[in-house]
Amino acid sequence: MAKRLSVLGSTGSIGVNTLQVVEMLGDEIDIRYLSANKNGDLLIKQARTYRPKAVAVVDPATARSVDKALAGEGISVLTGREGLLELASRTDVDLLLNGLVGSAGMEPTLLAVKAGIDVALSNKESLVMAGELIVRAQDETGASLMPVDSEHSAIWQCLAGEKKEDVRRIILTGSGGPFRTRKAETFSEITVTEALRHPNWNMGKKITIDSATMMNKGLEVIEAHWLFQLTPDRIDIVVHPQSIIHSAVEFKDGSVKAQMGVPDMKIPIQYALTYPRHVESEWERLDLIELGRLTFEAPDRERFPAIGLAYEALRKGGSAPAVLNVANEQAVYRFINNEILFTDIPKIIQAAGEQHEWIEHPELEDLIQLEDWTKAFVKLYN
Ligand code: MG
């Protein structure tokens, strides 16, 4: 029987890749629900191709035009944030893929897990902000998280058949982004165009800037902590500019398992959809001989202070990672709008972390309030 799938953020980078995987897998996947924010034209096209039961459109004006276009086609249109949240909690699916960007993805993940639905998780911000709540909900309902983030998919694959207590540490690899070799003195002159030019991965804007500051790797450390239940001292970062080894696990006996592949998000997406199988695909193959060599180096925590900020927030725990996450995304949007410098991003995150009222075990309402506080804080920062 086909796996019934809901795709949140279907018109974004992860969503579009997911639908390519679905297309390739043929009858194995049945698209039940799709969601988008403002890209109505693409959503309408996707809806006509995959015939979901319903779509959710967050932006009200876009929702009206989608509703009009799909009238009489038997596809219902849910509107606004409420529509998205309603769609996320529907239980007539086997798997929900969360490809939303940023903190907007947190509540949908939590609702799906609470409803007992397995989540293929691309939205790492969900775990960064609400890791404790999501894990608690998983304990209650038994829902699983299938990592889509390439590093976490790699670790998940390396851990297959292994015992958790045999793991010494995990090694998250990162490309180092576009400024890996750029001189520290020129970081304040970095332009938006330069920061959006990622050497290996073709991704959405927010995550591309996160890769340039290396906050992406910091967020992934926190994501790994919740996914694999490891303390921060057991999670390391290694810069690997070719992005071929997607991450590795070191075991207690000194054995290290790494997972490799070409940098293409369709591969980890497919694994999350077909887990525990690796089924035939048509994606580009890895050619080690053509590659010739792989290189590794330590991350530079001085030029990339975001890494240290993320570890610090994880060690502090409670509400600290949530504030780090929201401050980061708001600062990134201000940078994209040319309102602040590239080097202001970590400064803003640090200031927000220091000034917020820390909560040890934040509930959902606390997180929503903290999100509002942090957004206001970043807006006023000069
Ligand atoms: Mg990643």
Side-chain angles (χ1 to χ4, degrees):
M1 220 174 70
K3 196 176 264 183
R4 298 164 303 169
L5 180 69
S6 178
V7 181
L8 304 188
S10 66
T11 59
S13 171
I14 290 291
V16 167
N17 274 294
T18 299
L19 293 178
Q20 281 183 49
V21 174
V22 167
E23 184 85 53
M24 198 271 310
L25 289 171
D27 296 340
E28 285 188 44
I29 310 284
D30 171 21
I31 296 287
R32 274 294 164 105
Y33 301 113
L34 298 172
S35 96
N37 182 21
K38 283 186 172 168
N39 194 342
D41 292 343
L42 182 54
L43 183 68
I44 291 162
K45 237 169 112 184
Q46 292 175 339
R48 287 190 173 132
T49 307
Y50 297 101
R51 315 296 314 170
K53 281 173 72 176
V55 298
V57 189
V58 175
D59 178 63
T62 311
R64 279 192 293 276
S65 66
V66 171
D67 197 26
K68 216 169 168 185
L70 295 178
E73 299 205 29
I75 300 168
S76 43
V77 179
L78 308 176
T79 307
R81 178 83 183 152
E82 305 78 59
L84 172 68
L85 297 180
E86 191 200 318
L87 198 99
S89 6
R90 292 206 176 176
T91 52
D92 58 339
V93 295
D94 300 301
L95 185 65
L96 176 142
L97 185 134
N98 185 346
L100 297 170
V101 176
S103 57
M106 170 189 72
E107 232 182 315
T109 300
L110 188 59
L111 286 172
V113 171
K114 277 188 176 165
I117 301 158
D118 292 343
V119 177
L121 189 65
S122 168
N123 180 263
K124 64 192 83 182
E125 294 89 344
S126 295
L127 281 173
V128 173
M129 291 187 70
E132 190 178 343
L133 295 180
I134 292 168
V135 170
R136 198 197 296 162
Q138 275 187 283
D139 288 342
E140 282 161 14
T141 65
S144 302
L145 294 181
M146 322 278 193
V148 166
D149 208 350
S150 61
E151 294 77 3
H152 305 74
S153 175
I155 293 162
W156 189 33
Q157 294 177 54
C158 293
L159 289 174
E162 304 290 357
K163 289 210 170 0
K164 221 195 86 188
E165 58 266 34
D166 292 347
V167 173
R168 173 181 271 160
R169 62 171 182 141
I170 58 177
I171 302 161
L172 288 175
T173 56
S175 68
F179 309 129
R180 183 174 59 87
T181 57
R182 184 168 172 141
K183 287 204 171 64
E185 309 86 80
T186 68
F187 265 48
S188 60
E189 296 154 23
I190 287 171
T191 66
V192 176
T193 317
E194 286 173 328
L196 285 174
R197 231 179 267 139
H198 195 277
N200 304 336
W201 294 96
N202 186 1
M203 307 176 289
K205 271 188 187 177
K206 193 254 172 186
I207 186 171
T208 304
I209 303 291
D210 284 347
S211 299
T213 61
M214 289 200 73
M215 180 52 94
N216 184 47
K217 218 40 61 181
L219 299 177
E220 289 181 353
V221 168
I222 302 173
E223 180 187 13
H225 161 77
W226 291 112
L227 278 174
F228 306 111
Q229 301 290 317
L230 290 164
T231 50
D233 55 307
R234 288 177 186 271
I235 308 169
D236 286 334
I237 298 172
V238 170
V239 172
H240 165 45
Q242 298 83 17
S243 298
I244 297 298
I245 291 187
H246 299 311
S247 277
V249 176
E250 182 187 316
F251 295 93
K252 286 186 175 161
D253 58 2
S255 172
V256 177
K257 275 165 90 173
Q259 186 268 346
M260 297 194 267
V262 293
D264 179 350
M265 284 310 297
K266 290 193 286 301
I267 299 173
I269 290 169
Q270 177 174 328
Y271 187 66
L273 298 186
T274 63
Y275 173 82
R277 306 245 357 247
H278 291 274
V279 305
E280 194 63 51
S281 84
E282 56 194 34
W283 322 129
E284 188 193 337
R285 301 279 144 168
L286 180 61
D287 186 336
L288 286 173
I289 294 168
E290 194 189 315
L291 271 167
R293 58 204 237 135
L294 302 177
T295 61
F296 305 93
E297 55 196 71
D300 183 341
R301 288 174 178 240
E302 269 163 42
R303 282 183 307 142
F304 300 102
I307 296 173
L309 290 171
Y311 271 102
E312 207 179 297
L314 176 56
R315 288 203 172 90
K316 191 162 183 202
S319 55
V323 170
L324 170 101
N325 181 68
V326 177
N328 174 61
E329 73 189 49
Q330 296 303 313
V332 165
Y333 293 136
R334 288 198 65 186
F335 171 70
I336 291 175
N337 290 335
N338 286 307
E339 295 170 17
I340 58 168
L341 300 177
F342 186 78
T343 43
D344 287 331
I345 299 173
K347 287 180 195 162
I348 291 177
I349 298 166
Q350 182 165 12
E354 285 165 1
Q355 290 180 42
H356 94 277
E357 251 178 79
W358 185 73
I359 303 170
E360 191 173 2
H361 296 289
E363 294 295 328
L364 181 61
E365 308 74 62
D366 300 319
L367 292 174
I368 291 169
Q369 274 184 23
L370 274 169
E371 187 175 346
D372 291 342
W373 178 88
T374 310
K375 281 182 176 172
F377 178 88
V378 176
K379 208 173 187 176
L380 292 174
Y381 188 93
N382 262 305

PDB file of all heavy atoms in Angstrom, residues 175-195:
ATOM      1  N   SER A 175      30.700  22.177   5.179  1.00  0.00           N
ATOM      2  CA  SER A 175      31.561  22.614   4.072  1.00  0.00           C
ATOM      3  C   SER A 175      32.463  23.784   4.478  1.00  0.00           C
ATOM      4  O   SER A 175      33.490  24.028   3.881  1.00  0.00           O
ATOM      5  CB  SER A 175      30.705  23.056   2.890  1.00  0.00           C
ATOM      6  OG  SER A 175      30.014  24.251   3.236  1.00  0.00           O
ATOM      7  N   GLY A 176      32.052  24.527   5.512  1.00  0.00           N
ATOM      8  CA  GLY A 176      32.784  25.737   5.884  1.00  0.00           C
ATOM      9  C   GLY A 176      32.204  26.958   5.194  1.00  0.00           C
ATOM     10  O   GLY A 176      32.579  28.088   5.501  1.00  0.00           O
ATOM     11  N   GLY A 177      31.306  26.730   4.248  1.00  0.00           N
ATOM     12  CA  GLY A 177      30.604  27.844   3.591  1.00  0.00           C
ATOM     13  C   GLY A 177      31.493  28.657   2.669  1.00  0.00           C
ATOM     14  O   GLY A 177      32.659  28.321   2.449  1.00  0.00           O
ATOM     15  N   PRO A 178      30.953  29.754   2.122  1.00  0.00           N
ATOM     16  CA  PRO A 178      31.694  30.543   1.122  1.00  0.00           C
ATOM     17  C   PRO A 178      32.868  31.342   1.703  1.00  0.00           C
ATOM     18  O   PRO A 178      33.707  31.826   0.945  1.00  0.00           O
ATOM     19  CB  PRO A 178      30.619  31.486   0.556  1.00  0.00           C
ATOM     20  CG  PRO A 178      29.568  31.558   1.610  1.00  0.00           C
ATOM     21  CD  PRO A 178      29.580  30.233   2.314  1.00  0.00           C
ATOM     22  N   PHE A 179      32.932  31.494   3.022  1.00  0.00           N
ATOM     23  CA  PHE A 179      33.973  32.356   3.614  1.00  0.00           C
ATOM     24  C   PHE A 179      35.009  31.581   4.418  1.00  0.00           C
ATOM     25  O   PHE A 179      35.680  32.122   5.290  1.00  0.00           O
ATOM     26  CB  PHE A 179      33.314  33.435   4.486  1.00  0.00           C
ATOM     27  CG  PHE A 179      32.231  34.162   3.753  1.00  0.00           C
ATOM     28  CD1 PHE A 179      30.969  34.325   4.300  1.00  0.00           C
ATOM     29  CD2 PHE A 179      32.457  34.675   2.474  1.00  0.00           C
ATOM     30  CE1 PHE A 179      29.960  34.970   3.599  1.00  0.00           C
ATOM     31  CE2 PHE A 179      31.461  35.315   1.761  1.00  0.00           C
ATOM     32  CZ  PHE A 179      30.206  35.468   2.330  1.00  0.00           C
ATOM     33  N   ARG A 180      35.137  30.318   4.080  1.00  0.00           N
ATOM     34  CA  ARG A 180      36.051  29.429   4.810  1.00  0.00           C
ATOM     35  C   ARG A 180      37.480  29.974   4.824  1.00  0.00           C
ATOM     36  O   ARG A 180      38.179  29.879   5.823  1.00  0.00           O
ATOM     37  CB  ARG A 180      36.023  28.046   4.147  1.00  0.00           C
ATOM     38  CG  ARG A 180      36.862  26.990   4.811  1.00  0.00           C
ATOM     39  CD  ARG A 180      36.628  25.641   4.162  1.00  0.00           C
ATOM     40  NE  ARG A 180      36.951  25.644   2.743  1.00  0.00           N
ATOM     41  CZ  ARG A 180      38.172  25.418   2.239  1.00  0.00           C
ATOM     42  NH1 ARG A 180      39.179  25.152   3.046  1.00  0.00           N
ATOM     43  NH2 ARG A 180      38.381  25.447   0.933  1.00  0.00           N
ATOM     44  N   THR A 181      37.907  30.574   3.708  1.00  0.00           N
ATOM     45  CA  THR A 181      39.293  31.044   3.643  1.00  0.00           C
ATOM     46  C   THR A 181      39.384  32.573   3.635  1.00  0.00           C
ATOM     47  O   THR A 181      40.457  33.127   3.447  1.00  0.00           O
ATOM     48  CB  THR A 181      39.980  30.501   2.369  1.00  0.00           C
ATOM     49  OG1 THR A 181      39.198  30.924   1.230  1.00  0.00           O
ATOM     50  CG2 THR A 181      40.048  28.983   2.374  1.00  0.00           C
ATOM     51  N   ARG A 182      38.278  33.235   3.819  1.00  0.00           N
ATOM     52  CA  ARG A 182      38.283  34.702   3.771  1.00  0.00           C
ATOM     53  C   ARG A 182      38.888  35.281   5.048  1.00  0.00           C
ATOM     54  O   ARG A 182      38.687  34.765   6.139  1.00  0.00           O
ATOM     55  CB  ARG A 182      36.846  35.203   3.592  1.00  0.00           C
ATOM     56  CG  ARG A 182      36.743  36.712   3.424  1.00  0.00           C
ATOM     57  CD  ARG A 182      35.349  37.097   2.974  1.00  0.00           C
ATOM     58  NE  ARG A 182      35.177  38.543   2.980  1.00  0.00           N
ATOM     59  CZ  ARG A 182      34.499  39.212   2.052  1.00  0.00           C
ATOM     60  NH1 ARG A 182      33.934  38.570   1.042  1.00  0.00           N
ATOM     61  NH2 ARG A 182      34.359  40.528   2.122  1.00  0.00           N
ATOM     62  N   LYS A 183      39.613  36.401   4.878  1.00  0.00           N
ATOM     63  CA  LYS A 183      40.305  37.019   6.018  1.00  0.00           C
ATOM     64  C   LYS A 183      39.313  37.670   6.993  1.00  0.00           C
ATOM     65  O   LYS A 183      38.364  38.330   6.580  1.00  0.00           O
ATOM     66  CB  LYS A 183      41.281  38.091   5.518  1.00  0.00           C
ATOM     67  CG  LYS A 183      42.514  37.514   4.861  1.00  0.00           C
ATOM     68  CD  LYS A 183      43.668  38.519   4.927  1.00  0.00           C
ATOM     69  CE  LYS A 183      44.982  37.892   4.483  1.00  0.00           C
ATOM     70  NZ  LYS A 183      44.948  37.477   3.054  1.00  0.00           N
ATOM     71  N   ALA A 184      39.598  37.502   8.275  1.00  0.00           N
ATOM     72  CA  ALA A 184      38.713  38.013   9.336  1.00  0.00           C
ATOM     73  C   ALA A 184      38.452  39.512   9.187  1.00  0.00           C
ATOM     74  O   ALA A 184      37.326  39.972   9.391  1.00  0.00           O
ATOM     75  CB  ALA A 184      39.323  37.725  10.699  1.00  0.00           C
ATOM     76  N   GLU A 185      39.482  40.288   8.792  1.00  0.00           N
ATOM     77  CA  GLU A 185      39.352  41.758   8.725  1.00  0.00           C
ATOM     78  C   GLU A 185      38.298  42.202   7.705  1.00  0.00           C
ATOM     79  O   GLU A 185      37.795  43.321   7.784  1.00  0.00           O
ATOM     80  CB  GLU A 185      40.678  42.436   8.318  1.00  0.00           C
ATOM     81  CG  GLU A 185      41.891  42.036   9.111  1.00  0.00           C
ATOM     82  CD  GLU A 185      42.539  40.770   8.552  1.00  0.00           C
ATOM     83  OE1 GLU A 185      43.282  40.839   7.564  1.00  0.00           O
ATOM     84  OE2 GLU A 185      42.268  39.700   9.143  1.00  0.00           O
ATOM     85  N   THR A 186      38.007  41.339   6.743  1.00  0.00           N
ATOM     86  CA  THR A 186      37.079  41.765   5.692  1.00  0.00           C
ATOM     87  C   THR A 186      35.659  41.244   5.917  1.00  0.00           C
ATOM     88  O   THR A 186      34.778  41.450   5.080  1.00  0.00           O
ATOM     89  CB  THR A 186      37.564  41.284   4.307  1.00  0.00           C
ATOM     90  OG1 THR A 186      37.465  39.850   4.263  1.00  0.00           O
ATOM     91  CG2 THR A 186      38.996  41.699   4.024  1.00  0.00           C
ATOM     92  N   PHE A 187      35.428  40.572   7.035  1.00  0.00           N
ATOM     93  CA  PHE A 187      34.101  39.989   7.285  1.00  0.00           C
ATOM     94  C   PHE A 187      32.993  41.042   7.358  1.00  0.00           C
ATOM     95  O   PHE A 187      31.866  40.783   6.975  1.00  0.00           O
ATOM     96  CB  PHE A 187      34.107  39.125   8.559  1.00  0.00           C
ATOM     97  CG  PHE A 187      34.344  37.663   8.280  1.00  0.00           C
ATOM     98  CD1 PHE A 187      35.375  37.255   7.447  1.00  0.00           C
ATOM     99  CD2 PHE A 187      33.525  36.681   8.842  1.00  0.00           C
ATOM    100  CE1 PHE A 187      35.600  35.913   7.177  1.00  0.00           C
ATOM    101  CE2 PHE A 187      33.735  35.334   8.583  1.00  0.00           C
ATOM    102  CZ  PHE A 187      34.767  34.945   7.751  1.00  0.00           C
ATOM    103  N   SER A 188      33.340  42.250   7.860  1.00  0.00           N
ATOM    104  CA  SER A 188      32.297  43.281   7.980  1.00  0.00           C
ATOM    105  C   SER A 188      31.884  43.820   6.612  1.00  0.00           C
ATOM    106  O   SER A 188      30.850  44.468   6.483  1.00  0.00           O
ATOM    107  CB  SER A 188      32.784  44.417   8.890  1.00  0.00           C
ATOM    108  OG  SER A 188      33.952  44.976   8.327  1.00  0.00           O
ATOM    109  N   GLU A 189      32.693  43.537   5.572  1.00  0.00           N
ATOM    110  CA  GLU A 189      32.350  44.021   4.216  1.00  0.00           C
ATOM    111  C   GLU A 189      31.564  42.989   3.402  1.00  0.00           C
ATOM    112  O   GLU A 189      31.229  43.241   2.240  1.00  0.00           O
ATOM    113  CB  GLU A 189      33.643  44.350   3.446  1.00  0.00           C
ATOM    114  CG  GLU A 189      34.443  45.487   4.041  1.00  0.00           C
ATOM    115  CD  GLU A 189      35.931  45.374   3.702  1.00  0.00           C
ATOM    116  OE1 GLU A 189      36.282  44.716   2.703  1.00  0.00           O
ATOM    117  OE2 GLU A 189      36.731  45.940   4.466  1.00  0.00           O
ATOM    118  N   ILE A 190      31.295  41.844   3.989  1.00  0.00           N
ATOM    119  CA  ILE A 190      30.588  40.777   3.250  1.00  0.00           C
ATOM    120  C   ILE A 190      29.212  41.260   2.787  1.00  0.00           C
ATOM    121  O   ILE A 190      28.444  41.805   3.576  1.00  0.00           O
ATOM    122  CB  ILE A 190      30.461  39.511   4.137  1.00  0.00           C
ATOM    123  CG1 ILE A 190      31.829  38.826   4.264  1.00  0.00           C
ATOM    124  CG2 ILE A 190      29.418  38.541   3.566  1.00  0.00           C
ATOM    125  CD1 ILE A 190      31.879  37.703   5.277  1.00  0.00           C
ATOM    126  N   THR A 191      28.939  41.063   1.504  1.00  0.00           N
ATOM    127  CA  THR A 191      27.635  41.489   0.970  1.00  0.00           C
ATOM    128  C   THR A 191      26.650  40.314   0.954  1.00  0.00           C
ATOM    129  O   THR A 191      27.050  39.152   1.063  1.00  0.00           O
ATOM    130  CB  THR A 191      27.767  42.007  -0.478  1.00  0.00           C
ATOM    131  OG1 THR A 191      28.157  40.899  -1.317  1.00  0.00           O
ATOM    132  CG2 THR A 191      28.794  43.118  -0.600  1.00  0.00           C
ATOM    133  N   VAL A 192      25.373  40.644   0.790  1.00  0.00           N
ATOM    134  CA  VAL A 192      24.327  39.628   0.750  1.00  0.00           C
ATOM    135  C   VAL A 192      24.570  38.678  -0.423  1.00  0.00           C
ATOM    136  O   VAL A 192      24.475  37.455  -0.294  1.00  0.00           O
ATOM    137  CB  VAL A 192      22.937  40.293   0.646  1.00  0.00           C
ATOM    138  CG1 VAL A 192      21.841  39.254   0.500  1.00  0.00           C
ATOM    139  CG2 VAL A 192      22.677  41.171   1.863  1.00  0.00           C
ATOM    140  N   THR A 193      24.928  39.250  -1.570  1.00  0.00           N
ATOM    141  CA  THR A 193      25.184  38.427  -2.764  1.00  0.00           C
ATOM    142  C   THR A 193      26.305  37.424  -2.502  1.00  0.00           C
ATOM    143  O   THR A 193      26.193  36.251  -2.877  1.00  0.00           O
ATOM    144  CB  THR A 193      25.578  39.322  -3.955  1.00  0.00           C
ATOM    145  OG1 THR A 193      24.696  40.443  -3.957  1.00  0.00           O
ATOM    146  CG2 THR A 193      25.498  38.599  -5.269  1.00  0.00           C
ATOM    147  N   GLU A 194      27.369  37.888  -1.865  1.00  0.00           N
ATOM    148  CA  GLU A 194      28.492  36.980  -1.563  1.00  0.00           C
ATOM    149  C   GLU A 194      28.046  35.864  -0.616  1.00  0.00           C
ATOM    150  O   GLU A 194      28.404  34.699  -0.785  1.00  0.00           O
ATOM    151  CB  GLU A 194      29.637  37.756  -0.906  1.00  0.00           C
ATOM    152  CG  GLU A 194      30.413  38.640  -1.857  1.00  0.00           C
ATOM    153  CD  GLU A 194      31.432  39.520  -1.115  1.00  0.00           C
ATOM    154  OE1 GLU A 194      31.181  39.925   0.039  1.00  0.00           O
ATOM    155  OE2 GLU A 194      32.479  39.809  -1.718  1.00  0.00           O
ATOM    156  N   ALA A 195      27.254  36.244   0.391  1.00  0.00           N
ATOM    157  CA  ALA A 195      26.830  35.260   1.403  1.00  0.00           C
ATOM    158  C   ALA A 195      25.852  34.247   0.823  1.00  0.00           C
ATOM    159  O   ALA A 195      25.722  33.136   1.337  1.00  0.00           O
ATOM    160  CB  ALA A 195      26.209  35.970   2.603  1.00  0.00           C
TER     161      ALA A 195
END
